[in-house]
Amino acid sequence: MKKEEQIRMLLHPEQYTDEQLDQMLDEVEVPVPDAGEAWRAFRNGGKQIEENRGSFYLVRKIAAMFVGVLMLSGIAYAAYHVAYSTAGKSSAPSQQTEIRSQHRQTAAQAVAGEVPQTAPVVYEDAELATILGDVAAYYQVEVVYRQEASRHIRLYYTWDKQATIDDVIDTFNKFERIHITRDNKKLIVE
């Protein structure tokens, strides 16, 4: 059988019978590796085999070191982010407490007739009820909510205490979901 026909039989075995395929397989010569070369390496003390084995172990050691460095850097990265996120969460409640105590002091100073120089107060992801509670205490007004849901709107807001109550109301009314009106000493949130 010619090689071209054998190749055709291998590529399209569905076109041939089982007997034809068996006959083709019987005629194919399978090359056997030279046993003499392996025997010579064995007689020389296996030096060639050991050389190959040494380079294999070197590659494995390098791969192990690379994996170790990746793991350590991953652990360090995770530890940094856990520590950073934990530090940020634990300081937020104390920051709000500090802000509230500053507001109480300023309200007391305002009652005493002193005009304090104050820095803007920053609220990060705070509820509208919290912010307006501080604003109402500072300007000595009452807050009335028409809908309970509006109390829980969360905002990022910077309050400048030097601004008038009307300026603060205008700033809040620029938010999409908030509408505040003033009726004498009442802030009405709709």
Side-chain angles (χ1 to χ4, degrees):
M1 210 177 269
K2 293 183 180 177
K3 283 194 175 195
E4 292 101 20
E5 189 175 340
Q6 288 175 342
I7 292 172
R8 213 174 307 118
M9 289 177 84
L10 289 172
L11 292 176
H12 303 286
E14 68 277 355
Q15 296 177 356
Y16 299 95
T17 64
D18 288 339
E19 291 82 25
Q20 289 174 324
L21 291 172
D22 287 339
Q23 179 185 7
M24 187 264 311
L25 290 175
D26 288 339
E27 292 177 4
V28 173
E29 293 181 22
V30 178
V32 177
D34 183 20
E37 186 179 326
W39 179 252
R40 280 190 295 278
F42 178 73
R43 277 197 334 203
N44 290 336
K47 290 181 185 172
Q48 184 179 3
I49 294 171
E50 286 178 15
E51 289 172 7
N52 290 342
R53 192 178 288 163
S55 64
F56 176 71
Y57 287 124
L58 180 64
V59 169
R60 283 181 55 189
K61 284 182 181 180
I62 292 172
M65 288 189 303
F66 182 72
V67 168
V69 168
L70 281 177
M71 286 180 57
L72 285 175
S73 62
I75 291 170
Y77 181 77
Y80 170 77
H81 281 287
V82 167
Y84 180 74
S85 66
T86 304
K89 289 180 182 176
S90 65
S91 66
S94 66
Q95 183 181 12
Q96 286 182 351
T97 306
E98 183 180 314
I99 290 171
R100 286 188 182 133
S101 68
Q102 288 174 356
H103 294 309
R104 287 188 190 107
Q105 289 173 355
T106 352
Q109 289 171 344
V111 170
E114 301 172 15
V115 181
Q117 295 293 331
T118 58
V121 180
V122 177
Y123 294 91
E124 293 185 7
D125 197 27
E127 287 189 347
L128 181 62
T130 303
I131 300 170
L132 285 182
D134 294 343
V135 169
Y138 184 78
Y139 292 108
Q140 299 176 349
V141 294
E142 179 186 350
V143 181
V144 178
Y145 295 93
R146 301 279 180 179
Q147 297 176 359
E148 183 63 28
S150 59
R151 289 177 169 268
H152 305 291
I153 295 172
R154 300 192 77 79
L155 303 173
Y156 290 85
Y157 179 71
T158 302
W159 172 33
D160 180 11
K161 291 184 179 182
Q162 303 298 322
T164 65
I165 185 70
D166 293 323
D167 292 337
V168 173
I169 291 170
D170 288 341
T171 303
F172 274 111
N173 285 336
K174 290 178 183 176
F175 288 100
E176 216 173 273
R177 298 173 16 199
I178 300 173
H179 182 71
I180 301 174
T181 55
R182 180 175 170 208
D183 184 21
N184 289 331
K185 291 285 190 174
K186 285 186 181 180
L187 297 181
I188 301 167
V189 182
E190 298 179 31

mmCIF file of all heavy atoms in Angstrom, residues 146-169:
data_model
loop_
_atom_site.group_PDB
_atom_site.id
_atom_site.type_symbol
_atom_site.label_atom_id
_atom_site.label_comp_id
_atom_site.label_asym_id
_atom_site.label_seq_id
_atom_site.Cartn_x
_atom_site.Cartn_y
_atom_site.Cartn_z
ATOM 1 N N ARG A 146 -42.746 65.927 55.746
ATOM 2 C CA ARG A 146 -44.062 65.548 55.190
ATOM 3 C C ARG A 146 -44.098 64.057 54.853
ATOM 4 O O ARG A 146 -45.160 63.458 54.898
ATOM 5 C CB ARG A 146 -44.377 66.361 53.934
ATOM 6 C CG ARG A 146 -44.411 67.824 54.135
ATOM 7 C CD ARG A 146 -45.711 68.259 54.717
ATOM 8 N NE ARG A 146 -45.644 69.719 54.877
ATOM 9 C CZ ARG A 146 -46.626 70.416 55.340
ATOM 10 N NH1 ARG A 146 -47.743 69.834 55.677
ATOM 11 N NH2 ARG A 146 -46.497 71.706 55.483
ATOM 12 N N GLN A 147 -42.954 63.496 54.502
ATOM 13 C CA GLN A 147 -42.864 62.058 54.189
ATOM 14 C C GLN A 147 -41.727 61.460 55.003
ATOM 15 O O GLN A 147 -40.635 62.024 55.060
ATOM 16 C CB GLN A 147 -42.579 61.850 52.701
ATOM 17 C CG GLN A 147 -43.669 62.366 51.794
ATOM 18 C CD GLN A 147 -43.273 62.212 50.331
ATOM 19 O OE1 GLN A 147 -42.198 61.742 50.000
ATOM 20 N NE2 GLN A 147 -44.173 62.635 49.456
ATOM 21 N N GLU A 148 -41.986 60.316 55.586
ATOM 22 C CA GLU A 148 -40.982 59.654 56.424
ATOM 23 C C GLU A 148 -39.758 59.233 55.594
ATOM 24 O O GLU A 148 -38.627 59.253 56.088
ATOM 25 C CB GLU A 148 -41.602 58.426 57.101
ATOM 26 C CG GLU A 148 -40.694 57.698 58.047
ATOM 27 C CD GLU A 148 -40.251 58.534 59.246
ATOM 28 O OE1 GLU A 148 -40.991 59.440 59.664
ATOM 29 O OE2 GLU A 148 -39.157 58.269 59.771
ATOM 30 N N ALA A 149 -39.959 58.885 54.341
ATOM 31 C CA ALA A 149 -38.857 58.411 53.492
ATOM 32 C C ALA A 149 -37.801 59.492 53.271
ATOM 33 O O ALA A 149 -36.618 59.186 53.101
ATOM 34 C CB ALA A 149 -39.391 57.934 52.153
ATOM 35 N N SER A 150 -38.220 60.755 53.306
ATOM 36 C CA SER A 150 -37.251 61.825 53.047
ATOM 37 C C SER A 150 -36.232 61.953 54.181
ATOM 38 O O SER A 150 -35.149 62.475 53.978
ATOM 39 C CB SER A 150 -37.969 63.150 52.807
ATOM 40 O OG SER A 150 -38.760 63.486 53.932
ATOM 41 N N ARG A 151 -36.559 61.466 55.384
ATOM 42 C CA ARG A 151 -35.596 61.478 56.497
ATOM 43 C C ARG A 151 -34.360 60.636 56.182
ATOM 44 O O ARG A 151 -33.278 60.926 56.657
ATOM 45 C CB ARG A 151 -36.219 60.884 57.769
ATOM 46 C CG ARG A 151 -37.251 61.707 58.410
ATOM 47 C CD ARG A 151 -37.816 60.923 59.614
ATOM 48 N NE ARG A 151 -38.643 61.760 60.424
ATOM 49 C CZ ARG A 151 -38.209 62.458 61.470
ATOM 50 N NH1 ARG A 151 -36.956 62.391 61.818
ATOM 51 N NH2 ARG A 151 -39.031 63.219 62.146
ATOM 52 N N HIS A 152 -34.536 59.573 55.396
ATOM 53 C CA HIS A 152 -33.489 58.568 55.187
ATOM 54 C C HIS A 152 -32.712 58.759 53.889
ATOM 55 O O HIS A 152 -31.930 57.885 53.506
ATOM 56 C CB HIS A 152 -34.104 57.171 55.244
ATOM 57 C CG HIS A 152 -34.864 56.937 56.511
ATOM 58 N ND1 HIS A 152 -34.243 56.823 57.738
ATOM 59 C CD2 HIS A 152 -36.198 56.836 56.751
ATOM 60 C CE1 HIS A 152 -35.158 56.641 58.673
ATOM 61 N NE2 HIS A 152 -36.346 56.652 58.105
ATOM 62 N N ILE A 153 -32.923 59.868 53.214
ATOM 63 C CA ILE A 153 -32.129 60.152 52.012
ATOM 64 C C ILE A 153 -30.686 60.372 52.461
ATOM 65 O O ILE A 153 -30.416 61.119 53.387
ATOM 66 C CB ILE A 153 -32.663 61.408 51.282
ATOM 67 C CG1 ILE A 153 -34.074 61.142 50.764
ATOM 68 C CG2 ILE A 153 -31.726 61.799 50.140
ATOM 69 C CD1 ILE A 153 -34.752 62.377 50.202
ATOM 70 N N ARG A 154 -29.753 59.698 51.786
ATOM 71 C CA ARG A 154 -28.338 59.786 52.177
ATOM 72 C C ARG A 154 -27.620 60.764 51.245
ATOM 73 O O ARG A 154 -27.815 60.741 50.033
ATOM 74 C CB ARG A 154 -27.699 58.405 52.140
ATOM 75 C CG ARG A 154 -28.411 57.460 53.116
ATOM 76 C CD ARG A 154 -27.653 56.191 53.333
ATOM 77 N NE ARG A 154 -26.515 56.339 54.209
ATOM 78 C CZ ARG A 154 -26.563 56.390 55.537
ATOM 79 N NH1 ARG A 154 -27.703 56.312 56.152
ATOM 80 N NH2 ARG A 154 -25.464 56.502 56.253
ATOM 81 N N LEU A 155 -26.760 61.607 51.838
ATOM 82 C CA LEU A 155 -26.094 62.664 51.079
ATOM 83 C C LEU A 155 -24.618 62.782 51.442
ATOM 84 O O LEU A 155 -24.204 62.386 52.533
ATOM 85 C CB LEU A 155 -26.703 64.034 51.406
ATOM 86 C CG LEU A 155 -28.169 64.284 51.221
ATOM 87 C CD1 LEU A 155 -28.500 65.643 51.778
ATOM 88 C CD2 LEU A 155 -28.520 64.238 49.758
ATOM 89 N N TYR A 156 -23.902 63.407 50.536
ATOM 90 C CA TYR A 156 -22.570 63.942 50.799
ATOM 91 C C TYR A 156 -22.773 65.457 50.744
ATOM 92 O O TYR A 156 -23.169 66.004 49.719
ATOM 93 C CB TYR A 156 -21.579 63.484 49.726
ATOM 94 C CG TYR A 156 -21.255 62.019 49.809
ATOM 95 C CD1 TYR A 156 -22.058 61.069 49.194
ATOM 96 C CD2 TYR A 156 -20.140 61.580 50.512
ATOM 97 C CE1 TYR A 156 -21.763 59.729 49.288
ATOM 98 C CE2 TYR A 156 -19.839 60.235 50.609
ATOM 99 C CZ TYR A 156 -20.654 59.312 49.993
ATOM 100 O OH TYR A 156 -20.358 57.994 50.089
ATOM 101 N N TYR A 157 -22.510 66.113 51.859
ATOM 102 C CA TYR A 157 -22.855 67.527 51.944
ATOM 103 C C TYR A 157 -21.799 68.263 52.748
ATOM 104 O O TYR A 157 -21.311 67.774 53.767
ATOM 105 C CB TYR A 157 -24.229 67.679 52.616
ATOM 106 C CG TYR A 157 -24.689 69.110 52.777
ATOM 107 C CD1 TYR A 157 -25.080 69.850 51.671
ATOM 108 C CD2 TYR A 157 -24.746 69.704 54.023
ATOM 109 C CE1 TYR A 157 -25.496 71.162 51.808
ATOM 110 C CE2 TYR A 157 -25.168 71.014 54.174
ATOM 111 C CZ TYR A 157 -25.544 71.739 53.063
ATOM 112 O OH TYR A 157 -25.950 73.030 53.206
ATOM 113 N N THR A 158 -21.456 69.472 52.286
ATOM 114 C CA THR A 158 -20.540 70.344 53.016
ATOM 115 C C THR A 158 -21.324 71.577 53.439
ATOM 116 O O THR A 158 -21.838 72.316 52.595
ATOM 117 C CB THR A 158 -19.350 70.751 52.131
ATOM 118 O OG1 THR A 158 -18.690 69.565 51.682
ATOM 119 C CG2 THR A 158 -18.368 71.603 52.899
ATOM 120 N N TRP A 159 -21.402 71.770 54.732
ATOM 121 C CA TRP A 159 -22.194 72.862 55.290
ATOM 122 C C TRP A 159 -21.273 73.982 55.755
ATOM 123 O O TRP A 159 -20.433 73.781 56.630
ATOM 124 C CB TRP A 159 -23.030 72.326 56.444
ATOM 125 C CG TRP A 159 -23.772 73.349 57.246
ATOM 126 C CD1 TRP A 159 -24.303 74.520 56.811
ATOM 127 C CD2 TRP A 159 -24.064 73.273 58.642
ATOM 128 N NE1 TRP A 159 -24.910 75.180 57.833
ATOM 129 C CE2 TRP A 159 -24.782 74.426 58.978
ATOM 130 C CE3 TRP A 159 -23.789 72.355 59.632
ATOM 131 C CZ2 TRP A 159 -25.221 74.684 60.270
ATOM 132 C CZ3 TRP A 159 -24.243 72.600 60.909
ATOM 133 C CH2 TRP A 159 -24.951 73.750 61.222
ATOM 134 N N ASP A 160 -21.464 75.150 55.197
ATOM 135 C CA ASP A 160 -20.705 76.328 55.598
ATOM 136 C C ASP A 160 -21.559 77.085 56.614
ATOM 137 O O ASP A 160 -22.618 77.618 56.279
ATOM 138 C CB ASP A 160 -20.404 77.204 54.380
ATOM 139 C CG ASP A 160 -19.601 78.443 54.745
ATOM 140 O OD1 ASP A 160 -19.094 78.532 55.886
ATOM 141 O OD2 ASP A 160 -19.475 79.322 53.872
ATOM 142 N N LYS A 161 -21.100 77.143 57.830
ATOM 143 C CA LYS A 161 -21.884 77.775 58.899
ATOM 144 C C LYS A 161 -21.950 79.292 58.757
ATOM 145 O O LYS A 161 -22.757 79.935 59.420
ATOM 146 C CB LYS A 161 -21.284 77.408 60.265
ATOM 147 C CG LYS A 161 -21.470 75.953 60.606
ATOM 148 C CD LYS A 161 -20.946 75.694 61.987
ATOM 149 C CE LYS A 161 -21.132 74.260 62.373
ATOM 150 N NZ LYS A 161 -20.668 74.004 63.743
ATOM 151 N N GLN A 162 -21.125 79.858 57.918
ATOM 152 C CA GLN A 162 -21.163 81.298 57.680
ATOM 153 C C GLN A 162 -22.353 81.676 56.797
ATOM 154 O O GLN A 162 -22.736 82.845 56.728
ATOM 155 C CB GLN A 162 -19.855 81.760 57.015
ATOM 156 C CG GLN A 162 -18.607 81.428 57.809
ATOM 157 C CD GLN A 162 -18.577 82.105 59.173
ATOM 158 O OE1 GLN A 162 -18.992 83.246 59.326
ATOM 159 N NE2 GLN A 162 -18.093 81.391 60.174
ATOM 160 N N ALA A 163 -22.935 80.687 56.110
ATOM 161 C CA ALA A 163 -24.065 80.945 55.215
ATOM 162 C C ALA A 163 -25.333 81.167 56.037
ATOM 163 O O ALA A 163 -25.471 80.680 57.157
ATOM 164 C CB ALA A 163 -24.264 79.768 54.265
ATOM 165 N N THR A 164 -26.275 81.892 55.440
ATOM 166 C CA THR A 164 -27.564 82.115 56.114
ATOM 167 C C THR A 164 -28.419 80.863 55.956
ATOM 168 O O THR A 164 -28.151 80.007 55.114
ATOM 169 C CB THR A 164 -28.301 83.320 55.502
ATOM 170 O OG1 THR A 164 -28.640 82.994 54.152
ATOM 171 C CG2 THR A 164 -27.444 84.581 55.557
ATOM 172 N N ILE A 165 -29.500 80.799 56.742
ATOM 173 C CA ILE A 165 -30.404 79.646 56.653
ATOM 174 C C ILE A 165 -31.039 79.563 55.269
ATOM 175 O O ILE A 165 -31.238 78.480 54.728
ATOM 176 C CB ILE A 165 -31.481 79.691 57.780
ATOM 177 C CG1 ILE A 165 -32.348 78.419 57.759
ATOM 178 C CG2 ILE A 165 -32.362 80.910 57.644
ATOM 179 C CD1 ILE A 165 -31.644 77.189 58.194
ATOM 180 N N ASP A 166 -31.323 80.709 54.651
ATOM 181 C CA ASP A 166 -31.911 80.708 53.310
ATOM 182 C C ASP A 166 -30.919 80.171 52.273
ATOM 183 O O ASP A 166 -31.319 79.470 51.340
ATOM 184 C CB ASP A 166 -32.380 82.112 52.928
ATOM 185 C CG ASP A 166 -33.561 82.572 53.792
ATOM 186 O OD1 ASP A 166 -34.413 81.714 54.120
ATOM 187 O OD2 ASP A 166 -33.610 83.771 54.140
ATOM 188 N N ASP A 167 -29.645 80.485 52.436
ATOM 189 C CA ASP A 167 -28.621 79.945 51.529
ATOM 190 C C ASP A 167 -28.523 78.426 51.671
ATOM 191 O O ASP A 167 -28.373 77.713 50.682
ATOM 192 C CB ASP A 167 -27.261 80.583 51.811
ATOM 193 C CG ASP A 167 -27.208 82.060 51.434
ATOM 194 O OD1 ASP A 167 -28.027 82.474 50.583
ATOM 195 O OD2 ASP A 167 -26.343 82.765 51.984
ATOM 196 N N VAL A 168 -28.603 77.948 52.906
ATOM 197 C CA VAL A 168 -28.544 76.503 53.147
ATOM 198 C C VAL A 168 -29.748 75.813 52.504
ATOM 199 O O VAL A 168 -29.613 74.780 51.854
ATOM 200 C CB VAL A 168 -28.467 76.200 54.665
ATOM 201 C CG1 VAL A 168 -28.584 74.717 54.935
ATOM 202 C CG2 VAL A 168 -27.176 76.753 55.245
ATOM 203 N N ILE A 169 -30.931 76.411 52.644
ATOM 204 C CA ILE A 169 -32.151 75.845 52.036
ATOM 205 C C ILE A 169 -32.001 75.810 50.519
ATOM 206 O O ILE A 169 -32.346 74.814 49.871
ATOM 207 C CB ILE A 169 -33.395 76.662 52.462
ATOM 208 C CG1 ILE A 169 -33.668 76.457 53.949
ATOM 209 C CG2 ILE A 169 -34.611 76.264 51.640
ATOM 210 C CD1 ILE A 169 -34.732 77.394 54.520
#
